Amino acid sequence: MLNLKNAFENIAAECGVKLSLMSAARLTTFKGGGSAYVFAPDSEGQFINTYVSLAGAGFKPFILGGGSNTVIADGEAATPIISTNGLDGVYMRDNCISAGCGASLRRVSAMLSDFGYSGFGFMNGVPATVGGALRMNASAFGRCIADMTDTVRIFLAENNIWKIKEISAKDISFGYRRGVKDIVLSADFKLIDDLNGENKRDFLGERIKKQPKKPSCGSVFKNGDIPSGKLIEECGLKGIKCGGAQISGVHANFIVNLGNATASDFLSLAELCENEVMQKFSIKLEREFELVI
Ligand SMILES: Cc1cc2nc3c(=O)[nH]c(=O)nc-3n(C[C@H](O)[C@H](O)[C@H](O)COP(=O)(O)OP(=O)(O)OC[C@H]3O[C@@H](n4cnc5c(N)ncnc54)[C@H](O)[C@@H]3O)c2cc1C
Protein backbone atom coordinates (compact mmCIF):
# COMPACT_ATOMS: atom_id res chain seq x y z
CA MET A 1 0.00 0.00 0.00
CA LEU A 2 3.01 2.30 0.57
CA ASN A 3 3.79 2.29 -3.17
CA LEU A 4 0.19 3.07 -4.02
CA LYS A 5 0.20 5.92 -1.51
CA ASN A 6 3.37 7.35 -3.07
CA ALA A 7 1.97 7.03 -6.60
CA PHE A 8 -1.27 8.74 -5.58
CA GLU A 9 0.59 11.51 -3.72
CA ASN A 10 2.73 12.24 -6.79
CA ILE A 11 -0.33 12.46 -9.05
CA ALA A 12 -2.19 14.66 -6.56
CA ALA A 13 0.80 17.03 -6.36
CA GLU A 14 1.13 17.14 -10.19
CA CYS A 15 -2.56 17.98 -10.60
CA GLY A 16 -2.72 20.33 -7.60
CA VAL A 17 -5.56 18.26 -6.11
CA LYS A 18 -6.21 17.41 -2.47
CA LEU A 19 -5.75 13.72 -1.60
CA SER A 20 -6.91 12.00 1.57
CA LEU A 21 -7.49 8.53 2.91
CA MET A 22 -11.17 8.53 3.82
CA SER A 23 -13.46 6.05 5.53
CA ALA A 24 -16.58 4.52 3.99
CA ALA A 25 -18.50 6.20 6.80
CA ARG A 26 -17.70 9.55 5.19
CA LEU A 27 -17.93 8.45 1.57
CA THR A 28 -21.05 6.32 1.31
CA THR A 29 -24.62 6.34 2.56
CA PHE A 30 -24.23 2.71 3.77
CA LYS A 31 -21.43 4.04 5.98
CA GLY A 32 -19.86 0.61 6.63
CA GLY A 33 -16.70 -0.79 5.03
CA GLY A 34 -13.07 0.18 4.69
CA SER A 35 -11.28 3.23 3.40
CA ALA A 36 -9.97 4.57 0.10
CA TYR A 37 -7.68 7.25 -1.26
CA VAL A 38 -9.83 10.10 -2.51
CA PHE A 39 -8.79 12.82 -4.94
CA ALA A 40 -10.92 15.94 -4.48
CA PRO A 41 -10.73 18.20 -7.56
CA ASP A 42 -12.51 21.52 -7.24
CA SER A 43 -12.75 22.36 -10.94
CA GLU A 44 -13.57 20.49 -14.10
CA GLY A 45 -9.99 21.03 -15.33
CA GLN A 46 -8.55 19.42 -12.19
CA PHE A 47 -11.06 16.58 -12.45
CA ILE A 48 -10.04 15.81 -16.04
CA ASN A 49 -6.30 16.13 -15.32
CA THR A 50 -6.58 13.82 -12.33
CA TYR A 51 -8.54 11.21 -14.28
CA VAL A 52 -6.13 11.30 -17.23
CA SER A 53 -3.04 11.15 -14.97
CA LEU A 54 -4.40 8.19 -13.00
CA ALA A 55 -5.43 6.37 -16.19
CA GLY A 56 -2.01 7.11 -17.70
CA ALA A 57 -0.37 5.54 -14.64
CA GLY A 58 -2.43 2.37 -15.19
CA PHE A 59 -5.20 2.95 -12.62
CA LYS A 60 -8.93 2.76 -13.28
CA PRO A 61 -10.28 5.47 -11.00
CA PHE A 62 -13.74 5.15 -9.49
CA ILE A 63 -15.82 8.32 -9.82
CA LEU A 64 -17.79 8.89 -6.65
CA GLY A 65 -20.81 11.16 -6.42
CA GLY A 66 -23.13 10.88 -3.44
CA GLY A 67 -21.97 7.33 -2.64
CA SER A 68 -25.61 6.28 -2.40
CA ASN A 69 -25.20 3.25 -4.65
CA THR A 70 -21.70 2.31 -3.55
CA VAL A 71 -20.09 0.04 -0.96
CA ILE A 72 -16.37 0.22 -0.16
CA ALA A 73 -14.76 -3.15 0.63
CA ASP A 74 -13.17 -3.65 4.06
CA GLY A 75 -9.52 -2.70 4.44
CA GLU A 76 -7.77 -0.16 2.25
CA ALA A 77 -9.06 -0.11 -1.34
CA ALA A 78 -6.47 -0.31 -4.12
CA THR A 79 -8.78 1.59 -6.46
CA PRO A 80 -8.34 5.37 -6.30
CA ILE A 81 -11.52 7.41 -5.98
CA ILE A 82 -12.15 10.79 -7.60
CA SER A 83 -14.86 12.66 -5.75
CA THR A 84 -17.14 14.98 -7.73
CA ASN A 85 -18.22 16.92 -4.64
CA GLY A 86 -16.33 20.03 -5.81
CA LEU A 87 -18.12 20.10 -9.19
CA ASP A 88 -21.47 21.10 -7.78
CA GLY A 89 -22.39 24.32 -9.62
CA VAL A 90 -26.07 24.77 -10.51
CA TYR A 91 -27.40 27.72 -12.48
CA MET A 92 -30.48 28.74 -14.45
CA ARG A 93 -30.22 29.52 -18.13
CA ASP A 94 -32.87 30.83 -20.55
CA ASN A 95 -34.37 27.47 -21.40
CA CYS A 96 -32.74 24.97 -19.05
CA ILE A 97 -31.01 24.43 -15.72
CA SER A 98 -27.32 23.47 -15.88
CA ALA A 99 -25.69 21.39 -13.18
CA GLY A 100 -22.20 20.06 -12.57
CA CYS A 101 -21.87 16.29 -12.15
CA GLY A 102 -21.33 16.63 -8.39
CA ALA A 103 -24.45 18.73 -7.73
CA SER A 104 -26.97 16.97 -5.54
CA LEU A 105 -30.40 16.28 -7.05
CA ARG A 106 -31.79 17.97 -3.95
CA ARG A 107 -30.06 21.20 -4.96
CA VAL A 108 -31.28 21.02 -8.59
CA SER A 109 -34.81 20.29 -7.38
CA ALA A 110 -34.75 23.19 -4.91
CA MET A 111 -33.58 25.67 -7.55
CA LEU A 112 -36.23 24.51 -10.02
CA SER A 113 -38.93 24.91 -7.42
CA ASP A 114 -37.59 28.38 -6.37
CA PHE A 115 -38.04 29.52 -9.97
CA GLY A 116 -41.54 28.02 -10.26
CA TYR A 117 -40.55 24.92 -12.20
CA SER A 118 -40.86 21.27 -11.25
CA GLY A 119 -39.60 17.94 -12.52
CA PHE A 120 -37.17 16.58 -9.92
CA GLY A 121 -39.65 16.12 -7.07
CA PHE A 122 -39.88 12.38 -7.72
CA MET A 123 -36.25 12.07 -6.56
CA ASN A 124 -36.81 13.87 -3.22
CA GLY A 125 -35.06 11.87 -0.53
CA VAL A 126 -32.62 10.18 -2.95
CA PRO A 127 -29.12 11.29 -1.85
CA ALA A 128 -27.72 11.20 -5.39
CA THR A 129 -25.65 13.56 -7.52
CA VAL A 130 -26.30 14.49 -11.14
CA GLY A 131 -23.45 12.24 -12.38
CA GLY A 132 -24.48 9.20 -10.34
CA ALA A 133 -28.15 9.62 -11.28
CA LEU A 134 -27.32 9.89 -14.98
CA ARG A 135 -25.04 6.82 -14.82
CA MET A 136 -27.78 4.77 -13.15
CA ASN A 137 -30.74 6.51 -14.85
CA ALA A 138 -32.19 6.86 -11.35
CA SER A 139 -35.95 6.48 -11.24
CA ALA A 140 -38.92 6.48 -8.91
CA PHE A 141 -42.70 6.93 -9.04
CA GLY A 142 -42.72 5.91 -12.73
CA ARG A 143 -40.31 8.67 -13.80
CA CYS A 144 -36.58 8.64 -14.49
CA ILE A 145 -33.81 11.21 -14.75
CA ALA A 146 -33.66 10.63 -18.54
CA ASP A 147 -37.16 12.20 -18.84
CA MET A 148 -35.76 15.46 -17.50
CA THR A 149 -32.49 15.52 -19.41
CA ASP A 150 -31.82 17.75 -22.39
CA THR A 151 -28.05 17.38 -23.01
CA VAL A 152 -25.11 15.80 -21.21
CA ARG A 153 -21.46 16.84 -21.42
CA ILE A 154 -19.27 13.78 -21.30
CA PHE A 155 -15.58 13.03 -21.17
CA LEU A 156 -14.25 9.96 -22.95
CA ALA A 157 -11.27 8.45 -24.74
CA GLU A 158 -11.69 7.76 -28.45
CA ASN A 159 -8.75 6.06 -30.17
CA ASN A 160 -6.63 6.94 -27.13
CA ILE A 161 -7.49 10.64 -27.40
CA TRP A 162 -9.41 12.22 -24.53
CA LYS A 163 -12.35 14.33 -25.67
CA ILE A 164 -15.19 16.36 -24.23
CA LYS A 165 -18.48 16.01 -26.09
CA GLU A 166 -22.00 17.30 -25.67
CA ILE A 167 -24.65 14.74 -26.48
CA SER A 168 -28.38 15.07 -26.71
CA ALA A 169 -30.42 12.90 -24.33
CA LYS A 170 -32.22 11.58 -27.44
CA ASP A 171 -28.97 9.93 -28.53
CA ILE A 172 -28.36 8.15 -25.22
CA SER A 173 -29.69 4.63 -24.91
CA PHE A 174 -31.36 5.09 -21.51
CA GLY A 175 -33.16 2.13 -19.95
CA TYR A 176 -33.95 0.67 -16.54
CA ARG A 177 -30.81 1.35 -14.48
CA ARG A 178 -29.00 1.95 -17.77
CA GLY A 179 -27.71 5.46 -18.18
CA VAL A 180 -24.73 7.39 -19.53
CA LYS A 181 -21.77 5.04 -20.03
CA ASP A 182 -19.05 7.71 -20.17
CA ILE A 183 -17.87 10.14 -17.52
CA VAL A 184 -20.46 12.85 -16.95
CA LEU A 185 -19.08 16.37 -16.53
CA SER A 186 -22.34 18.30 -16.42
CA ALA A 187 -25.87 18.24 -17.79
CA ASP A 188 -28.66 20.54 -18.88
CA PHE A 189 -32.14 19.67 -17.67
CA LYS A 190 -35.49 20.79 -19.07
CA LEU A 191 -37.57 23.47 -17.43
CA ILE A 192 -41.07 22.20 -16.79
CA ASP A 193 -43.68 24.63 -15.45
CA ASP A 194 -45.13 23.43 -12.20
CA LEU A 195 -48.57 23.31 -13.82
CA ASN A 196 -49.63 20.00 -12.30
CA GLY A 197 -48.59 21.14 -8.81
CA GLU A 198 -45.85 18.50 -8.51
CA ASN A 199 -44.01 20.70 -6.05
CA LYS A 200 -46.88 20.26 -3.61
CA ARG A 201 -46.83 16.45 -3.77
CA ASP A 202 -45.17 14.93 -0.72
CA PHE A 203 -42.85 12.52 -2.57
CA LEU A 204 -40.56 12.38 0.45
CA GLY A 205 -43.40 11.43 2.79
CA GLU A 206 -44.49 8.66 0.38
CA ARG A 207 -40.91 7.38 0.22
CA ILE A 208 -40.42 7.44 4.00
CA LYS A 209 -43.46 5.17 4.48
CA LYS A 210 -41.93 2.45 2.26
CA GLN A 211 -38.19 2.65 2.90
CA PRO A 212 -35.99 2.07 5.95
CA LYS A 213 -34.51 5.06 7.74
CA LYS A 214 -31.23 3.36 8.72
CA PRO A 215 -28.13 3.84 6.50
CA SER A 216 -28.25 1.84 3.26
CA CYS A 217 -27.20 1.98 -0.38
CA GLY A 218 -30.78 1.93 -1.62
CA SER A 219 -32.00 -1.14 -3.50
CA VAL A 220 -29.41 -3.91 -3.39
CA PHE A 221 -30.76 -5.71 -6.47
CA LYS A 222 -32.38 -4.56 -9.70
CA ASN A 223 -36.02 -5.46 -10.10
CA GLY A 224 -37.17 -7.98 -12.67
CA ASP A 225 -40.74 -9.06 -13.49
CA ILE A 226 -41.20 -9.83 -9.80
CA PRO A 227 -39.73 -7.15 -7.49
CA SER A 228 -36.53 -8.40 -5.84
CA GLY A 229 -37.80 -7.34 -2.40
CA LYS A 230 -40.82 -9.66 -2.80
CA LEU A 231 -38.61 -12.60 -3.81
CA ILE A 232 -36.30 -12.04 -0.83
CA GLU A 233 -39.26 -11.63 1.54
CA GLU A 234 -40.81 -14.88 0.27
CA CYS A 235 -37.56 -16.67 1.11
CA GLY A 236 -38.19 -15.59 4.71
CA LEU A 237 -35.09 -13.41 4.88
CA LYS A 238 -36.60 -10.13 6.11
CA GLY A 239 -34.90 -9.05 9.34
CA ILE A 240 -31.99 -11.55 9.09
CA LYS A 241 -28.76 -10.10 10.49
CA CYS A 242 -25.08 -10.66 9.79
CA GLY A 243 -22.75 -8.81 12.14
CA GLY A 244 -23.84 -5.17 12.03
CA ALA A 245 -25.93 -5.46 8.85
CA GLN A 246 -29.54 -6.51 8.44
CA ILE A 247 -31.95 -7.30 5.61
CA SER A 248 -34.41 -4.54 6.37
CA GLY A 249 -37.68 -5.49 8.02
CA VAL A 250 -39.27 -2.50 6.26
CA HIS A 251 -38.22 -3.40 2.69
CA ALA A 252 -36.37 -6.63 1.94
CA ASN A 253 -34.42 -5.19 -1.01
CA PHE A 254 -32.53 -2.90 1.40
CA ILE A 255 -29.61 -4.02 3.57
CA VAL A 256 -29.22 -1.58 6.44
CA ASN A 257 -26.29 -0.72 8.67
CA LEU A 258 -27.30 -1.16 12.31
CA GLY A 259 -24.28 0.86 13.43
CA ASN A 260 -21.12 -1.15 12.99
CA ALA A 261 -21.62 -3.08 9.73
CA THR A 262 -18.62 -4.07 7.66
CA ALA A 263 -18.68 -4.49 3.89
CA SER A 264 -18.29 -8.26 4.48
CA ASP A 265 -21.47 -8.27 6.60
CA PHE A 266 -23.26 -6.50 3.73
CA LEU A 267 -21.87 -8.86 1.07
CA SER A 268 -22.69 -11.98 3.12
CA LEU A 269 -26.33 -10.91 3.27
CA ALA A 270 -26.37 -10.03 -0.44
CA GLU A 271 -24.97 -13.51 -1.22
CA LEU A 272 -27.52 -15.14 1.08
CA CYS A 273 -30.32 -13.40 -0.85
CA GLU A 274 -28.81 -14.47 -4.19
CA ASN A 275 -28.44 -18.12 -3.11
CA GLU A 276 -31.86 -18.46 -1.49
CA VAL A 277 -33.72 -16.76 -4.37
CA MET A 278 -31.88 -18.96 -6.87
CA GLN A 279 -32.69 -22.09 -4.86
CA LYS A 280 -36.38 -21.28 -4.33
CA PHE A 281 -37.31 -19.54 -7.60
CA SER A 282 -34.41 -20.31 -10.02
CA ILE A 283 -34.08 -16.54 -10.51
CA LYS A 284 -30.66 -14.85 -10.62
CA LEU A 285 -30.75 -11.56 -8.73
CA GLU A 286 -28.74 -8.82 -10.43
CA ARG A 287 -26.73 -6.53 -8.17
CA GLU A 288 -27.50 -2.82 -8.42
CA PHE A 289 -24.80 -1.49 -6.07
CA GLU A 290 -21.17 -0.83 -7.01
CA LEU A 291 -18.35 -2.35 -4.96
CA VAL A 292 -15.03 -0.49 -4.70
CA ILE A 293 -12.16 -2.86 -3.96
C1 LIG B 1 -32.11 6.03 0.83
C2 LIG B 1 -31.86 5.73 -0.62
C3 LIG B 1 -32.91 5.74 -1.52
C4 LIG B 1 -32.69 5.49 -2.88
N1 LIG B 1 -33.74 5.52 -3.73
C5 LIG B 1 -33.53 5.35 -5.06
C6 LIG B 1 -34.62 5.48 -5.98
O1 LIG B 1 -35.75 5.74 -5.63
N2 LIG B 1 -34.35 5.31 -7.29
C7 LIG B 1 -33.09 5.03 -7.75
O2 LIG B 1 -32.89 4.91 -8.97
N3 LIG B 1 -32.03 4.90 -6.89
C8 LIG B 1 -32.23 5.07 -5.57
N4 LIG B 1 -31.18 4.96 -4.69
C9 LIG B 1 -29.84 4.57 -5.19
C10 LIG B 1 -28.92 5.74 -5.58
O3 LIG B 1 -29.34 6.94 -4.97
C11 LIG B 1 -28.90 5.93 -7.10
O4 LIG B 1 -28.34 4.80 -7.74
C12 LIG B 1 -28.12 7.17 -7.53
O5 LIG B 1 -28.27 7.33 -8.92
C13 LIG B 1 -26.64 7.10 -7.17
O6 LIG B 1 -26.12 8.41 -7.27
P1 LIG B 1 -24.76 8.80 -6.50
O7 LIG B 1 -24.36 10.16 -6.93
O8 LIG B 1 -24.89 8.59 -5.06
O9 LIG B 1 -23.78 7.72 -7.16
P2 LIG B 1 -22.54 6.95 -6.52
O10 LIG B 1 -23.00 5.91 -5.55
O11 LIG B 1 -21.53 7.91 -6.06
O12 LIG B 1 -22.03 6.20 -7.84
C14 LIG B 1 -22.89 5.29 -8.51
C15 LIG B 1 -22.33 4.99 -9.91
O13 LIG B 1 -22.33 6.20 -10.67
C16 LIG B 1 -21.02 6.45 -11.15
N5 LIG B 1 -20.81 7.90 -11.21
C17 LIG B 1 -20.91 8.83 -10.23
N6 LIG B 1 -20.65 10.06 -10.72
C18 LIG B 1 -20.36 9.90 -12.04
C19 LIG B 1 -20.00 10.79 -13.09
N7 LIG B 1 -19.84 12.10 -12.91
N8 LIG B 1 -19.81 10.28 -14.33
C20 LIG B 1 -19.95 8.94 -14.57
N9 LIG B 1 -20.27 8.05 -13.60
C21 LIG B 1 -20.48 8.52 -12.35
C22 LIG B 1 -20.10 5.79 -10.13
O14 LIG B 1 -18.80 5.56 -10.66
C23 LIG B 1 -20.88 4.51 -9.87
O15 LIG B 1 -20.69 3.62 -10.96
C24 LIG B 1 -31.38 5.20 -3.33
C25 LIG B 1 -30.32 5.19 -2.41
C26 LIG B 1 -30.55 5.45 -1.08
C27 LIG B 1 -29.40 5.45 -0.11
Side-chain angles (χ1 to χ4, degrees):
M1 283 295 168
L2 196 60
N3 287 346
L4 272 187
K5 185 173 182 258
N6 285 346
F8 295 158
E9 279 171 352
N10 289 341
I11 290 171
E14 250 172 52
C15 300
V17 170
K18 199 173 151 231
L19 173 76
S20 12
L21 183 63
M22 292 175 75
S23 69
R26 290 183 62 201
L27 296 171
T28 66
T29 55
F30 179 65
K31 297 189 181 296
S35 57
Y37 281 97
V38 181
F39 292 80
D42 54 23
S43 69
E44 204 175 275
Q46 281 190 351
F47 178 61
I48 290 173
N49 283 343
T50 308
Y51 194 95
V52 172
S53 300
L54 282 165
F59 296 105
K60 179 146 182 24
F62 184 89
I63 313 245
L64 187 76
S68 62
N69 197 41
T70 300
V71 173
I72 296 176
D74 297 324
E76 209 171 281
T79 304
I81 286 179
I82 307 181
S83 163
T84 61
N85 280 356
L87 311 183
D88 62 347
V90 183
Y91 58 96
M92 296 298 289
R93 303 226 311 245
D94 285 347
N95 53 1
C96 64
I97 182 167
S98 292
C101 61
S104 68
L105 296 191
R106 187 171 38 81
R107 194 144 167 244
V108 180
S109 180
M111 194 177 285
L112 282 170
S113 134
D114 285 351
F115 281 83
Y117 298 106
S118 66
F120 270 65
F122 70 102
M123 292 307 284
N124 281 354
V126 180
T129 59
V130 162
L134 280 165
R135 162 57 59 94
M136 302 303 300
N137 190 18
S139 63
F141 299 101
R143 310 249 298 270
C144 60
I145 192 100
D147 300 337
M148 297 300 304
T149 309
D150 186 23
T151 50
V152 183
R153 281 178 64 251
I154 54 167
F155 172 61
L156 75 170
E158 278 179 342
N159 302 323
N160 291 327
I161 299 172
W162 291 100
K163 293 179 183 167
I164 294 174
K165 281 189 174 178
E166 185 163 296
I167 42 170
S168 165
K170 292 194 291 290
D171 298 324
I172 300 170
S173 157
F174 282 111
Y176 171 68
R177 298 295 178 267
R178 190 182 70 234
V180 180
K181 290 189 184 66
D182 302 295
I183 298 166
V184 175
L185 294 175
S186 62
D188 287 350
F189 297 104
K190 298 169 191 166
L191 297 181
I192 296 174
D193 287 324
D194 188 28
L195 295 175
N196 52 10
E198 183 191 279
N199 291 339
K200 291 200 189 73
R201 182 169 166 189
D202 185 12
F203 286 104
L204 183 59
E206 292 178 45
R207 180 179 289 280
I208 285 169
K209 277 187 212 148
K210 294 187 210 137
Q211 291 184 354
K213 293 186 187 66
K214 293 200 166 65
S216 76
C217 66
S219 296
V220 178
F221 301 104
K222 295 180 189 176
N223 285 316
D225 294 338
I226 309 172
S228 296
K230 188 167 163 41
L231 294 170
I232 297 166
E233 188 171 346
E234 287 188 9
C235 289
L237 298 176
K238 243 184 172 180
I240 298 267
K241 290 182 194 167
C242 174
Q246 182 180 38
I247 299 173
S248 169
V250 180
H251 191 313
N253 198 18
F254 282 66
I255 294 177
V256 294
N257 183 348
L258 298 173
N260 56 348
T262 61
S264 309
D265 296 338
F266 174 94
L267 292 171
S268 300
L269 289 177
E271 271 166 34
L272 177 70
C273 294
E274 286 161 348
N275 293 339
E276 296 288 311
V277 167
M278 175 52 82
Q279 209 167 8
K280 190 167 166 92
F281 299 105
S282 300
I283 292 175
K284 187 176 181 338
L285 290 176
E286 200 184 332
R287 294 181 175 189
E288 182 167 323
F289 63 93
E290 299 273 354
L291 182 67
V292 179
I293 49 175

